[in-house]
């Protein structure tokens, strides 16, 4: 028996996390569960992380679908107010939200107007600046087309200088016929100063909901030039004696497609109902790996699912074996998944131990958000030691923001982008079912730093996400190159890697924090039903 006990102690650190009464499940090295390549064992660890609240998680997602629209909204709003993890952090006033949107729901119900009902729910969701608060539906009941189905044949964008210019003019459009050209400065829209007009633009149809002011502004400028088909608009251009009058026409959402330029090519993001659908437009692979000019390795990762680790590991090890001078990791369309996997990615690049998170989740038995797990990123002994550049975007969402957080915290490599990440890092859960087959999703848990403070999720001032350490300039040159099809952000990432090679710089690293010792023994749980709740985490 003693021999078996000693063997258990020896095997445990290499095969599992450890459960403690104070922090729930503790992963002192998040690479280990993925290195052992045993998903069943890992699922048992995930189930174990819920041990302290398992007895209280007995209810299924509430089904309000048979209620009236008005009653279902009231019940849903109350349910979210009880369980939403960031009410104080984001300063959400649930009573005010209910007073604002309940009348719209009631009016839509009175008129039996499904489009108005769905639009009101989208507006309600948009009023909560959290990319994890979503309204999912198989049908938009024609509301999206009615609102933004028309385009004016041009798109606009704000440069770093503050000037707003025309970034795209559709061939054969009324804008082109009116003499509007790329680079024209836009000073007014419908008689309002251009900045004011952009800020007033609703973005309830944004394909990926922004959580930061930066992300919101990006979507506002995209949707400024959208309107119901047949709507007239006046465009004030610098140097013109009077405004140009245009009429919105059905263009198949062309201007929105033309302004999704994160990959240097056009992606119809507005045609995707979910981020997985959007990702499928970009790649059918879980990991994309290729060699760039100059011998640099390019690795694109689109999600954090258990099966992604092995192809990611293989790509990094191949880059190490070939002694590549640098690696670009592309997370621009990474929609998240398992936080531990995001942490494990970091182990292949960091030079020091990094605290990743305390994870909390709502306990319906106590009405509190206890810590259920703790995770650390440990340097892999066979890690890559050269320079690494991360590419991110406002569509880098949820646990997709984890690796950038690790890089920022450890001083590893560079984060290269025009914009920061989304700023939605909480633990998403499936919420109430509503009439007409609509489902609400929202986060019922938060990621905390070592001090117990919410991390990465945007705050009440819409500040959050992970900002670039190398911010790509937005000027007429970079916009023109991007609109012509060049992946400008990738070009800047490679240029940064070349600078590191020229200077002989190694990766920067921060001082290693003191690692917390994991106490207690692992308590395996077979409660797979509890793990089903976890699947909605990110």
């Amino acid at each position: 028996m003693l021999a078996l006990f000693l063997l258990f102690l020896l095997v445990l650190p290499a095969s599992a996390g450890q459960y403690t009464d104070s922090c729930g499940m503790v992963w002192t090295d998040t690479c280990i569960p993925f290195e052992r390549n045993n998903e069943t064992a890992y699922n048992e660890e995930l189930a174990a992380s819920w041990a302290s609240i398992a007895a209280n998680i007995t209810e299924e997602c509430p089904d309000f679908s048979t209620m009236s629209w008005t009653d279902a909204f009231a019940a849903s709003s109350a349910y979210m107010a009880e369980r939403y993890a960031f009410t104080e952090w984001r300063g959400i006033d649930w009573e005010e939200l209910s007073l604002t949107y309940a009348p719209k729901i009631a009016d839509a119900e009175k008129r039996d107007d499904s489009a108005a009902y769905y639009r009101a729910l989208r507006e309600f969701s948009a009023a909560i600046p959290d990319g994890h608060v979503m309204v999912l539906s198989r049908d938009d009941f024609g509301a999206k087309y009615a609102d933004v189905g028309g385009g004016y044949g041009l798109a606009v964008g704000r440069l770093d200088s503050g000037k707003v210019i025309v970034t795209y003019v559709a061939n054969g459009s009324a804008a082109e016929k009116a003499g509007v050209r790329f680079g024209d400065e836009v000073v007014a829209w419908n008689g309002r100063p251009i900045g004011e007009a952009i800020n007033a633009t609703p973005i309830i149809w944004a394909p990926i909901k922004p959580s930061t002011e930066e992300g919101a502004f990006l979507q506002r400028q995209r949707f400024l030039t959208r309107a119901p088909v047949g709507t007239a608009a006046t465009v004030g251009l610098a140097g013109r004696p009077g405004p140009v009058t245009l009429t919105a026409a059905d263009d198949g959402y062309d201007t929105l497609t033309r302004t999704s330029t994160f990959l240097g090519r056009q992606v119809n993001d507005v045609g995707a109902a979910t981020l997985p659908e959007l990702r499928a437009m970009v790649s059918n692979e879980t990991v994309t790996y290729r060699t760039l000019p100059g011998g640099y390795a390019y690795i694109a990762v689109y999600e954090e699912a258990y099966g992604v680790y092995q192809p990611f590991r293989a790509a990094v090890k191949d880059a190490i074996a070939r002694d590549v001078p640098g690696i670009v990791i592309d997370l621009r369309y990474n929609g998240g998944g398992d936080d531990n996997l995001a942490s494990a990615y970091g182990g292949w690049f960091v030079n020091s131990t990094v605290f990743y998170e305390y994870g909390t989740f709502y306990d319906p038995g106590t009405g509190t958000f206890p810590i259920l797990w703790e995770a650390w990123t440990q340097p892999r002994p066979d890690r890559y030691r050269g320079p690494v550049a991360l590419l991110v975007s406002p569509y880098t969402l949820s646990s997709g923001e984890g690796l950038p957080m690790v890089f920022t915290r450890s001083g590893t490599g560079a984060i290269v982008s025009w914009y920061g990440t989304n700023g939605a890092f909480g633990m998403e859960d499936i919420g109430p079912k509503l009439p007409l087959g609509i489902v609400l999703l929202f986060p019922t848990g938060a990621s905390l730093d070592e001090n117990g403070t919410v991390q990465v999720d945007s705050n009440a001032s819409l500040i959050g996400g992970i900002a670039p350490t190398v911010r790509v300039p937005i000027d007429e040159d970079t916009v023109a190159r991007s609109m012509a099809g060049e992946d400008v952000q990738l070009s800047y990432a490679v240029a940064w890697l070349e600078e590191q090679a020229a200077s002989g710089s190694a990766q920067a690293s921060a001082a290693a924090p003191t690692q917390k010792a994991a106490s207690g023994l692992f308590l395996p749980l077979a409660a797979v039903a509890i793990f089903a709740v976890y699947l909605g985490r990110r």
Side-chain angles (χ1 to χ4, degrees):
M1 291 294 293
L2 177 61
L4 288 174
F5 179 69
L6 291 175
L7 178 62
F8 175 75
L9 291 180
L10 289 172
V11 171
L12 179 61
S15 62
Q18 295 181 334
Y19 185 84
T20 73
D21 291 333
S22 60
C23 293
M25 205 67 185
V26 179
W27 287 277
T28 57
D29 183 349
T30 48
C31 273
I32 291 175
F34 305 100
E35 280 289 313
R36 71 187 176 191
N37 202 22
N38 184 336
E39 188 172 4
T40 299
Y42 180 52
N43 286 347
E44 292 177 352
E45 294 180 33
L46 294 178
S49 67
W50 300 86
S52 64
I53 67 172
N56 298 328
I57 303 179
T58 58
E59 60 186 84
E60 296 182 356
C61 300
D63 188 348
F64 304 144
S65 61
T66 59
M67 294 182 176
S68 68
W69 295 357
T70 301
D71 290 345
F73 174 75
S76 297
S77 181
Y79 183 85
M80 293 177 67
E82 174 192 346
R83 296 168 180 251
Y84 182 62
F86 303 102
T87 293
E88 294 184 6
W89 182 252
R90 287 193 165 100
I92 305 300
D93 187 332
W94 292 100
E95 183 177 358
E96 180 182 352
L97 286 175
S98 181
L99 289 173
T100 300
Y101 296 101
K104 294 187 176 185
I105 298 290
D107 179 67
E109 184 170 28
K110 182 179 180 180
R111 294 184 289 108
D112 194 25
D113 189 336
S114 299
Y117 167 61
Y118 182 63
R119 182 184 295 110
L121 290 174
R122 297 279 300 201
E123 291 174 352
F124 166 74
S125 169
I128 304 169
D130 184 338
H132 274 142
V133 177
M134 293 187 283
V135 180
L136 296 186
S137 175
R138 294 180 180 275
D139 192 348
D140 65 20
F141 311 100
K144 180 172 67 176
Y145 180 81
D147 290 354
V148 295
Y152 293 102
L154 78 162
V156 303
R158 185 179 66 182
L159 307 181
D160 291 338
S161 64
K163 184 168 70 171
V164 175
I165 67 167
V166 174
T167 59
Y168 168 70
V169 180
N171 290 332
S173 67
E176 183 185 52
K177 293 174 182 176
V180 180
R181 299 291 181 264
F182 174 89
D184 284 350
E185 182 180 2
V186 183
V187 295
W189 189 272
N190 283 334
R192 304 174 75 175
I194 187 60
E196 181 181 317
I198 293 174
N199 287 331
T201 300
I203 54 172
I204 67 170
W205 301 112
I208 302 299
K209 183 180 172 184
S211 306
T212 66
E213 179 55 40
E214 178 182 60
F217 189 88
L218 170 64
Q219 294 297 342
R220 290 187 193 111
Q221 67 184 19
R222 294 182 73 197
F223 281 89
L224 173 73
T225 61
R226 307 299 305 180
V229 172
T231 304
T234 57
V235 186
L237 301 174
R240 293 256 187 150
V244 175
T245 300
L246 302 172
T247 301
D250 185 345
D251 62 354
Y253 301 108
D254 175 62
T255 65
L256 292 175
T257 300
R258 295 286 180 170
T259 53
S260 64
T261 57
F262 296 135
L263 293 183
R265 60 186 176 87
Q266 311 310 321
V267 178
N268 182 18
D269 56 354
V270 76
T274 64
L275 202 143
E277 290 182 23
L278 173 59
R279 192 193 68 208
M281 300 179 188
V282 178
S283 174
N284 291 319
E285 301 174 318
T286 56
V287 175
T288 299
Y289 178 48
R290 68 176 187 266
T291 301
L292 301 172
Y296 300 101
Y298 171 90
I299 305 172
V301 185
Y302 305 104
E303 64 177 331
E304 282 70 57
Y306 195 91
V308 177
Y309 181 77
Q310 292 302 323
F312 173 81
R313 177 182 186 272
V316 175
K317 289 186 73 69
D318 181 74
I320 294 170
R322 294 192 296 109
D323 194 25
V324 300
I327 297 178
V328 175
I329 300 179
D330 193 345
L331 303 174
R332 285 175 288 183
Y333 281 98
N334 187 304
D338 185 346
D339 253 352
N340 283 334
L341 184 50
S343 173
Y345 294 158
W348 285 95
F349 308 108
V350 299
N351 295 328
S352 59
T353 302
V354 179
F355 177 81
Y356 188 83
E357 74 176 351
Y358 291 122
T360 72
F361 208 83
Y362 180 75
D363 180 354
T366 64
T368 62
F369 297 84
I371 293 173
L372 301 187
W373 63 85
E374 173 185 333
W376 293 78
T377 301
Q378 295 282 359
R380 294 290 306 160
D382 51 345
R383 66 188 178 277
Y384 179 73
R385 299 172 188 270
V388 184
L390 294 186
L391 293 174
V392 301
S393 81
Y395 291 1
T396 305
L397 178 71
S398 199
S399 62
E401 302 176 76
L403 184 57
M405 180 186 73
V406 169
F407 269 42
T408 299
R409 188 163 290 167
S410 63
T412 302
I415 301 170
V416 183
S417 181
W418 276 318
Y419 313 101
T421 62
N422 186 280
F425 202 55
M427 318 303 171
E428 189 169 57
D429 201 0
I430 299 175
K433 300 175 184 177
L434 300 178
L436 303 188
I438 298 170
V439 178
L440 297 178
L441 276 69
F442 67 99
T444 53
S447 177
L448 309 180
D449 64 16
E450 283 185 280
N451 299 316
T453 302
V454 171
Q455 57 183 1
V456 182
D457 267 280
S458 59
N459 59 21
S461 299
L462 298 186
I463 298 171
I466 304 297
T469 57
V470 176
R471 194 174 283 270
V472 179
I474 304 176
D475 54 33
E476 289 194 31
D477 173 64
T478 57
V479 171
R481 287 159 56 191
S482 178
M483 295 303 291
E486 178 185 344
D487 190 339
V488 175
Q489 295 169 101
L490 178 58
S491 297
Y492 271 78
V494 171
W496 181 84
L497 292 175
E498 291 172 343
E499 290 175 4
Q500 308 315 297
S503 64
S505 299
Q507 285 192 41
S509 63
T514 302
Q515 181 181 355
K516 296 183 180 179
S519 59
L521 297 177
F522 171 60
L523 302 178
L525 295 179
V528 178
I530 300 174
F531 177 59
V533 180
Y534 178 89
L535 291 178
R537 176 180 173 196
R538 290 287 171 88

